Amino acid sequence: MSVVNLTSESFDEEVLLSDKTVLVDFYADWCGPCRMVSPIVEEIAKERDDIKVCKINVDREPSLAARFSVSSIPALMVFKNGKAVRSEVGAAPKSAILSMLE
């Protein structure tokens, strides 16, 4: 499955109403650690059909960043049944990201 780029308009439908676990990557194009995490997130999206992987550009969607109190990036959040159940801030290896999904 490919990564879904989210906007304020698509967030609720794609994440909160999803029947799958959703991994959301809050990022910015200028952020070095975000650029390190991005290929890992995309790899996970290709490998795992059981989850949905989404990205939110915090510069384009500041209201979504504010809604989830994202003040540092990269920030990864896992949503299940419409609720944020895990979150991590900062660059993380693939193993750490995968463990968030368990």
Side-chain angles (χ1 to χ4, degrees):
M1 185 177 251
S2 61
V3 174
V4 178
N5 289 301
L6 297 176
T7 63
S8 298
E9 292 78 28
S10 64
F11 182 86
D12 287 358
E13 182 178 341
E14 293 286 349
V15 178
L16 301 183
L17 299 177
S18 177
D19 57 350
K20 293 184 175 185
T21 297
V22 184
L23 173 65
V24 178
D25 175 17
F26 290 85
Y27 77 100
D29 293 331
W30 51 263
C31 167
C34 298
R35 289 195 301 267
M36 291 169 44
V37 170
S38 185
I40 298 169
V41 168
E42 291 181 19
E43 192 174 301
I44 291 170
K46 289 177 186 161
E47 294 173 355
R48 299 279 303 265
D49 289 335
D50 60 319
I51 63 165
K52 183 185 284 190
V53 179
C54 302
K55 294 182 71 132
I56 297 172
N57 184 317
V58 297
D59 289 333
R60 290 191 196 119
E61 299 295 336
S63 63
L64 282 175
R67 180 175 169 185
F68 294 98
S69 303
V70 173
S71 57
S72 296
I73 53 173
L76 297 169
M77 293 185 131
V78 175
F79 290 82
K80 291 184 181 183
N81 302 315
K83 304 255 189 276
V85 295
R86 305 248 347 237
S87 64
E88 296 289 332
V89 175
K94 184 176 180 182
S95 59
I97 297 170
L98 288 173
S99 71
M100 290 177 64
L101 298 166
E102 294 174 358

